[in-house]
Amino acid sequence: MMNISRQRPPDPPNPEPAVRAGHLTVVRGTRTVLRDLDFAVPRGRITGLLGPSGCGKSTLIRAVVGTQAKVTGTLEVLGRPAGDASLRSRIGYVTQAPSVYDDLTVRQNLDYFAAILDPGRPAADRRDHAVTRAIADVDLTSHAGALAGTLSGGQRSRVSLAVALLGHPELLVLDEPTVGLDPVLRRDLWALFHTIAADRGATLLVSSHVMDEAERCQSLLLMREGRILADDTPDALRARTSTDTVEDAFLHLVDEAAGNTAGKETVR
Amino acid sequence: MTTATTYPTGTAFSYSRTTATALRVLRQLRNDPRTIALMIVVPCLMLFLLRYVFDGSPRTFDSIGASLLGIFPLITMFLVTSIATLRERTSGTLERLLAMPLGKADLIAGYALAFGTLAIIQSTLATGLAAWFLGLDVMGSAWLLLLVALLDALLGTALGLFVSAFAASEFQAVQFMPAVIFPQLLLCGLFTPRSSMHPALEAISDVLPMSYAVDAMNEVLRHTDVTPTFVRDVLIVAGCALLVLGLGAATLRRRTA
């Protein structure tokens, strides 16, 4: 289990994307939150899911993880339909609000989730090792004995992240993991994400509403109002829109889309 | 496919995951000693109070005391479970767990196991106090009292789990206590024998599980051996607990809006 995480030879590029969506639509109540999306998330890389608050990022993420109801269209995750039981141990998921037990210590939280992923007495040593490492990965070793409820918001979200790192998921889905963190920590976490993608060969899908985080991703999905504006690498996106930052590129695409619909309406 | 370790997918019941869940719930409680103290001390205090309220009529104490030994675990476990499950739902940990290879049965059995353990401690102390220090005159075996108390605790856990699905906040969850428990308390025969109630109320009390919990306690109180009525009561309480646990399991959805 541990030996695969260290510097394994680079796999031949896997042509099959980690996530592939076709005509993906999600309805919540009476509102269509995601409308007819088509996109792919490449394997072994960090894909940023960027867009303003309320554009449907969390809904998309919940659909990928398989906790969202009323999903239509096709959505394949690691070669299986999203929500398939066999995917549950292959995906690490961090919800937007830290989902940990406030009345357990950091270590007790991880011990429990580790026991769900890798149950049984014979696995106890392996679990212990995995937990210690996950706590070290998110830089909380000195807080391992503290109750999660007494930690700061940023620390609690790192506990939540550590849970997702347990068990070496092939796909890590992180909903706004860096919100409210100080810049140093944010940099460290992004370094960790890159390490996970490069060394463990995992795929990461990271959402954020902060556009400058886009520059740290290897590929991007830009979202607005339930639609995908662009599905490209940051470089290609900037080049295509002849802008300097992803934020400018986003604005450019929004204006372009508005121009298109306005144009169509005048034609009509 | 590319992982070195393949984990069981966890749709079936898993003993390890169930005990891990029970242990986690107990650890949460251990980090909250005040709740444990309240759960254990309050029933004892109530029995103590009751004993001296009925200082002049020890027979009344016998009958009400025995009934309360069955009612306390039900109420306590109902409250604790409904709040605990609600917190699990609102904090996102339930969503996380259901996205992991954890069976719903593991989660529910884990809760039942943890609160069942606590109920045993609570009931042992309350029964011991009542029987040996407060002079509660029970003809049957104290083990049977404990059995009924445990089943009542399971019923309370089951009801709490079920009801938490309909509560959006802790305020609502607490209000379900009077809504679900009080009518049963009034109709279970604690205050007046069920046979002397208005026929309509008696009919209602016939289908409420707490009636049988209290009935079973009274059977142990009055008979030295296991009576057929006792067996019937115990089976009904256990059956209700299982039924409601099943309903509770149905409210745990992996996919939510």
Side-chain angles (χ1 to χ4, degrees), chain A residues 93-94 99-100 113 160 163-164, chain B residues 92-100:
Chain A
Y93 170 38
V94 180
S99 40
V100 292
F113 289 111
S160 197
V163 174
Chain B
T93 47
L94 184 68
E95 175 166 327
R96 163 166 255 161
L97 284 174
L98 292 179
M100 285 174 116

Side-chain angles (χ1 to χ4, degrees), chain A residues 28 62 68 93 101 116, chain B residues 17 87-88 95 255 257:
Chain A
R28 295 185 71 179
R62 282 168 42 86
Q68 180 66 47
Y93 170 38
Y101 298 101
I116 298 303
Chain B
R17 291 194 175 105
R87 276 165 56 181
E88 189 105 63
E95 175 166 327
R255 285 183 182 271

Side-chain angles (χ1 to χ4, degrees), chain A residues 55-252:
Chain A
C55 72
K57 296 190 297 292
S58 293
T59 306
L60 177 57
I61 276 185
R62 282 168 42 86
V64 169
V65 176
T67 55
Q68 180 66 47
K70 291 191 175 175
V71 180
T72 51
T74 57
L75 183 59
E76 266 195 10
V77 179
L78 302 172
R80 299 288 192 126
D84 193 87
S86 69
L87 289 173
R88 284 179 204 140
S89 55
R90 298 169 68 197
I91 302 180
Y93 170 38
V94 180
T95 48
Q96 196 164 3
S99 40
V100 292
Y101 298 101
D102 281 349
D103 41 9
L104 289 182
T105 68
V106 173
R107 177 131 204 141
Q108 286 172 341
N109 263 294
L110 281 133
D111 279 340
Y112 173 55
F113 289 111
I116 298 303
L117 276 174
D118 193 8
R121 202 177 284 277
D125 283 343
R126 193 167 60 200
R127 277 206 300 271
D128 210 47
H129 196 84
V131 166
T132 307
R133 209 177 87 135
I135 295 177
D137 276 345
V138 297
D139 199 19
L140 279 175
T141 308
S142 56
H143 290 81
L147 287 180
T150 62
L151 300 177
S152 73
Q155 288 167 330
R156 283 171 75 235
S157 59
R158 277 185 288 156
V159 180
S160 197
L161 176 63
V163 174
L165 296 179
L166 291 167
H168 298 277
E170 290 162 66
L171 172 65
L172 257 176
V173 183
L174 313 174
D175 198 356
E176 310 237 359
T178 56
V179 167
L181 296 186
D182 87 86
V184 179
L185 211 59
R186 218 160 62 138
R187 184 195 61 196
D188 291 352
L189 277 186
W190 275 101
L192 174 67
F193 297 161
H194 281 280
T195 313
I196 291 168
D199 293 358
R200 303 181 195 172
T203 306
L204 283 88
L205 178 61
V206 184
S207 82
S208 177
H209 67 266
V210 188
M211 284 290 166
D212 63 352
E213 304 223 289
E215 315 287 348
R216 303 173 190 267
C217 302
Q218 290 154 329
S219 93
L220 290 177
L221 292 171
L222 294 192
M223 270 187 90
R224 188 164 185 268
E225 292 173 353
R227 291 174 192 276
I228 302 273
L229 282 182
D231 175 358
D232 220 332
T233 65
D235 286 338
L237 197 67
R238 282 189 299 257
R240 182 153 67 86
T241 55
S242 43
T243 48
D244 293 332
T245 63
V246 172
E247 178 153 5
D248 287 340
F250 181 83
L251 291 172
H252 182 92

Side-chain angles (χ1 to χ4, degrees), chain B residues 122-185:
Chain B
Q122 187 202 55
S123 303
T124 310
L125 284 173
T127 311
L129 176 82
W132 284 303
F133 294 95
L134 301 178
L136 184 77
D137 205 6
V138 185
M139 301 190 72
S141 154
W143 290 107
L144 293 180
L145 280 185
L146 205 60
L147 172 73
V148 179
L150 185 63
L151 287 175
D152 291 347
L154 275 184
L155 180 63
T157 300
L159 285 170
L161 188 78
F162 178 63
V163 152
S164 78
F166 305 98
S169 69
E170 260 119 339
F171 282 145
Q172 292 181 8
V174 172
Q175 292 307 319
F176 270 114
M177 213 278 274
V180 174
I181 302 290
F182 277 22
Q184 299 201 61
L185 208 58

